[in-house]
Amino acid sequence: MDYDTLYGEYLVFEKSLKEKLKTVTKLQKSIAKQMESGDVFRCVSDTASLNQVGGEVESIAGEMHALLEGFDAREYLESGLFTEQLLAECAKKGVDVIGSFPVFEMFPYTVRIDVENQEVFVDRKKVSCLRPSALVSTIKGGQEKLYKASFNATQFANELAVAYDLALLSLNKPAGSDLYLTTLYKYLVPMSRFRKDYDQQSYAFDIARLFDNEMVEVKGGRSYQFGPSRNSNKTLRILDRSGAEHFLATIRFF
């Protein structure tokens, strides 16, 4: 069984439960009003009805519990059905995705499926979401929020240039040398504890936004240039605003 089938069956129980709870609320208000006025005769009738409806609520809750308990989430994840539906939702909502189960990249997010605990992690944040459509909607919403956030391309380029100059000195490289963006990240965020707040995926997203901007002038009148590499381990995969894929490996300031 896949999650949408499970959810469809659950909705039947949810509808019945809502109706019963509505009746419970109505009876509770009636009993309270009658007790306030001293109408014990009607209270006896309403409490009997309440007892009956309570039993029906208990029965629905039991069936609901049995349905959920019978859902084999692990099999759903490991069978490939979850992945198939996840990829279909990504295509439907226009979310770029690469990778394979249990780790996917939906730029700039890394999505990891924890089969053992039946949980999903988006970067380091746990989102208990095994419904593909809901998960992809969460990713899509996060991407839209990131793209709407303000970005100062000039400020970022200057910060990158400072890190670049430090790296040249540290690596004993001549001015204007091509440096790997992955190497530069370590100089931009030198302390490992800060990399939790600004990880390499966030860095790649800022690189993508800088790449999307027209060339900005760095302090001192310098410019910059991105470059590719045959070493895939040193390459950052980014998407531009139109969704086109680019592989950037190096940068130089000159």
Side-chain angles (χ1 to χ4, degrees), residues 121-149:
F121 287 85
V122 177
D123 292 339
R124 292 182 175 85
K125 183 180 180 181
K126 180 171 69 175
V127 288
S128 298
C129 184
L130 295 185
R131 189 181 185 192
S133 58
L135 176 58
V136 176
S137 291
T138 298
I139 296 294
K140 181 74 172 179
Q143 290 174 332
E144 291 174 349
K145 186 177 180 179
L146 284 173
Y147 279 111
K148 287 178 182 177

Side-chain angles (χ1 to χ4, degrees), residues 151-161 206-226 251-254:
F151 176 70
N152 189 323
T154 301
Q155 180 180 333
F156 179 68
N158 278 299
E159 290 171 349
L160 207 57
D206 283 344
I207 291 293
R209 291 197 289 180
L210 180 62
F211 180 81
D212 265 332
N213 276 271
E214 292 184 8
M215 188 68 65
V216 299
E217 186 175 302
V218 181
K219 288 179 181 177
R222 289 194 294 175
S223 297
Y224 55 89
Q225 181 180 48
F226 292 109
I251 190 171
R252 69 187 186 95
F253 289 84
F254 57 95

Side-chain angles (χ1 to χ4, degrees), residues 13 58-71:
F13 290 121
E58 185 179 358
S59 177
I60 293 171
E63 292 181 80
M64 191 181 294
H65 176 73
L67 171 68
L68 299 177
E69 194 175 44
F71 178 64

Side-chain angles (χ1 to χ4, degrees), residues 173-186:
K173 296 276 190 178
S177 295
D178 287 309
L179 293 182
Y180 284 117
L181 288 165
T182 52
T183 299
L184 207 54
Y185 168 69
K186 296 174 184 178

